[in-house]
């Protein structure tokens, strides 16, 4: 495929993913955005800002380079674009980023709590708790808010592996997720919402609930991911 | 457009908005009402009282002047009409009012709690907490209940700006929302329900949750609204 | 109409109401039953026991007299039939009875708590809290369980008016509702479920929530019901 | 029917049941699996591992003997297969097993709490609380995780009757249910999810809620099950 063909396909994938997060109930109104990257050219495709989902099409996705310069597109890119770019620059193996205000994940973010790994549903997809960032500082808000939000996420993963925990809760805001491509980023976004929902029920049923023990986390995560995976019809996928 | 044409369109808009609050799940049975105003003539169109949604049409919307005199219509207007009129008289820039008993917003009203601004989803649309009124006094109930309910709302906004917080929780009752037109009033009603739902989850996850800090509230509200807004494809809308 | 015609219509109404409680999400599987009575003849029509909803029809409704003798029908009547009959015998103005295991009302019943009147949504339809019965005694269980369940409900209304509070929560079990006809009994069942849901949210948001004050209860109930009602297009309906 | 015909039908039943748990909302993505057994031949049919529901068909169900040897099928069987087999070997009268990560039942499992029998909805189908297993030991995880999970379930039923309580909550994981055939196992799975949901609401409304008393449990369970059952159109079914 030529670069042009790859970017055309990327715009289509990003468009479809933006529609999918609405269909999956992760987004109401315009409260979300998906981007994807073509690593060979370093070009990112992202949803335009504040356009109703009914009017989106592959053609109005905005294309930018990793410094944020618009390469193609007549619309303003999502107001969260700089956060996406920061993630692409820091997490070099990811191919897609999703941001939503999905109900349960955002409520954990609003509660300023990391989501513990309470069970195997979580452990099957995330190798540990989903961290909640610190509340962004007033200085960062004043400086370059969206860029600094990205920096805050990257800083939160300083001692974590973004390849085995593909989600973060931005305090007082909501989740960002990522994956090897936009499809995986959307999938992770949906799984996160489900485990966030089950997590809130878990502590409602038993306020003393704690995360699962390391041996069980290892077992479930590693039977699906990595070189010894035995779930599914082949080896577990990972980025 | 002539006044006649404007009122015809207003009745259609108000009819459609009344249907929309049912479709959006904000209203069950007949538990809600929408009105709109033609500011040039001072004529308000409102849903008739207790008519099943299946039988509503633009033609059976009731038209009244701002003093409550029926200008056109064969039905009794909504029993909450005087509350709507009070809002149009006091909040001079609004064009539409919505009242529902939507589940989550009404539960905050029943709990007699203002809804704190727990996160950016809220801050994107409301410039601070959604106030809950005092419980209406026995005297006000005895005097002119629906009119006094309106007065109570207006009094609650004595030191708030109805243009940047377009919703109120009437204690023990439910939400009223408004906007520059009926479309915005319905939109705000739906956003309120979502943030009320996330708010109840937030305090369930962390009972010590508090509202977001002023710098973050400012950032999110003002990036969407007012003269320096940079969200969307143009300047942020406001009334 | 002849008695035969009236009973045919009653069977149709009862059949439709049984389907409606499923469509409204008040019943899953076969966990519910509706009956109606023709007061002139004293004949009750009720759902057969444990028949899948897909196989119900007006023709397989069971007809009984007020003593429980089967007048017409090839099936066993609902196992809760004696409870229904007790209510028809004691509450002489009712025309329909609905029993469900609807999620929120049943959870209040399981929690053995009366549902306080937390707001106007409740007050618009019920003139006070929905009482929860005592837990049925071991003696009553051993004697004639379904008949005694009816007696327990009747006893719970010893000092209440079944005409203004058309619902009860049977402790550890679920709700029974009634009305002037099966249509109203179904409607009340749906409203009860909604206010039960809002009630659980209300105490989650504010555990110290209390019922609304008498003046507000009076205002809302009486503006919809009784001789001075002014809601809707005519006088408020009541049984 | 020949063995071949029986196994063909079993594969169809198991396929349909796997689809049904998705349609009923008990499973998202691939988070669940159903198996069934032909007792005459000792052959088990089970869902293949990690195959999207859209690509399932009766033909790709995997057939195994009770020792886990694949008899027919081109795919790897569900990663939970050894757990299913353990149950078929220990619970000799069951014909179907369902495993899901359904939201409410899994949240009880994550909270590591047995689900008390709070009311008659539960008592109609389960003769007592749904037990939650201990957390699986590190030794069992290291040894043969899925087989040991089955052993843990069997051990949990050491002093319980799997014929009257057809469900278990595996701590930190989720529910397994069973029945005389796959149809009943799916039905029980759906009922469990509903009573788990009502159970979480019950303790939210009243944190001091306790299980129902023995006389009421006996009455409801036994009026539907066993030799003196009088619910439905014949004798209550049991395995």
């Amino acid at each position: 495929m030529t670069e042009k063909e790859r970017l055309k396909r990327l715009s289509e994938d990003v468009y479809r993913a933006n529609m999918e997060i609405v269909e999956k109930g992760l987004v109401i109104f315009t409260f979300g955005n998906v981007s994807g990257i073509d690593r060979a050219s370093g070009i990112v495709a992202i949803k335009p800002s504040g356009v109703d989902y009914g009017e989106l099409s592959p053609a109005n996705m905005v294309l930018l380079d990793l410094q944020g310069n618009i390469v193609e597109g007549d619309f303003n890119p999502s107001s969260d674009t700089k956060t996406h770019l920061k993630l692409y620059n820091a997490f070099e193996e990811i191919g897609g980023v999703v941001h939503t205000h999905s109900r349960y994940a955002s409520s954990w973010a609003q509660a300023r709590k990391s989501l513990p790994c309470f069970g195997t549903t979580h452990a099957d997809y995330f190798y540990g708790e989903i961290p909640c960032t610190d509340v962004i500082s007033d200085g960062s808000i004043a400086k370059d808010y969206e860029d600094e939000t990205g920096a805050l996420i990257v800083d939160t993963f300083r001692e974590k592996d973004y390849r085995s925990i593909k989600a973060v809760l931005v305090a007082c805001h909501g989740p960002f997720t990522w994956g090897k491509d936009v499809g995986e980023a959307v999938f992770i976004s949906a799984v996160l919402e489900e485990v966030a929902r089950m997590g809130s029920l878990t502590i409602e049923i038993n306020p003393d609930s704690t995360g699962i023990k390391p041996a069980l986390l290892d077992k479930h995560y590693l039977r699906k991911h990595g070189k010894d995976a035995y779930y599914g019809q082949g080896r577990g996928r990972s980025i």
Side-chain angles (χ1 to χ4, degrees), chain A:
Chain A
M1 276 201 290
T2 64
E3 183 180 309
K4 189 169 172 181
E5 287 167 340
R6 290 199 321 271
L7 294 178
K8 184 162 181 293
R9 176 171 292 185
L10 181 67
S11 288
E12 289 166 358
D13 288 350
V14 169
Y15 161 72
R16 261 202 310 278
N18 273 293
M19 301 308 285
E20 202 181 339
I21 56 176
V22 179
E23 289 155 17
K24 282 185 189 304
L26 300 169
V27 162
I28 63 164
F29 299 113
T30 58
F31 306 175
N33 41 68
V34 180
S35 69
I37 189 169
D38 174 55
R39 282 288 177 187
S41 61
I43 303 292
V44 171
I46 194 165
K47 197 183 77 140
S49 178
V51 173
D52 280 349
Y53 281 87
E55 294 165 26
L56 287 187
S57 74
N60 55 28
M61 297 298 110
V62 184
L63 300 183
L64 310 101
D65 65 24
L66 278 165
Q67 286 68 50
N69 302 302
I70 295 185
V71 170
E72 197 182 311
D74 301 325
F75 289 88
N76 296 337
S78 165
S79 55
D80 295 311
T81 296
K82 284 185 179 174
T83 314
H84 289 242
L85 295 181
K86 203 80 175 189
L87 298 182
Y88 287 119
N89 280 303
F91 300 166
E92 298 188 352
E93 296 178 41
I94 66 175
V97 171
V98 173
H99 171 50
T100 74
H101 288 216
S102 68
R103 192 173 288 153
Y104 291 89
S106 297
S107 295
W108 280 89
Q110 292 193 158
R112 304 173 200 180
K113 291 276 186 195
S114 298
L115 176 65
C117 178
F118 285 125
T120 60
T121 318
H122 184 126
D124 280 340
Y125 295 97
F126 304 99
Y127 198 26
E129 67 169 25
I130 311 300
C132 184
T133 68
D134 290 336
V135 176
I136 193 166
S137 71
D138 285 14
S140 289
I141 294 173
K143 195 174 155 200
D144 190 348
Y145 175 61
E146 292 81 6
D147 186 68
E148 291 289 319
T149 298
L152 183 64
I153 295 170
V154 173
D155 191 53
T156 302
F157 274 76
R158 218 173 35 239
E159 299 182 8
K160 289 179 182 287
D161 182 357
Y162 74 84
R163 284 164 299 207
S164 57
I165 299 177
K166 297 170 188 164
V168 72
L169 304 170
V170 177
C172 305
H173 189 149
F176 282 80
T177 64
W178 49 84
K180 60 175 176 168
D181 52 30
V182 290
E184 192 188 21
V186 169
F187 174 74
I188 289 293
S189 187
V191 175
L192 171 62
E193 183 65 0
E194 183 65 24
V195 294
R197 184 166 187 172
M198 286 170 54
S200 69
L201 287 165
T202 300
I203 57 171
E204 188 183 307
I205 294 167
N206 181 0
D208 299 325
S209 295
T210 55
I212 64 176
K213 61 183 180 180
L216 193 53
L217 173 59
D218 282 357
K219 182 69 195 177
H220 268 265
Y221 190 77
L222 299 175
R223 82 174 181 172
K224 285 214 172 189
H225 306 267
K227 69 178 176 47
D228 295 321
Y230 59 90
Y231 176 90
Q233 299 305 324
R235 291 291 147 191
R237 62 180 180 178
S238 66
I239 56 175

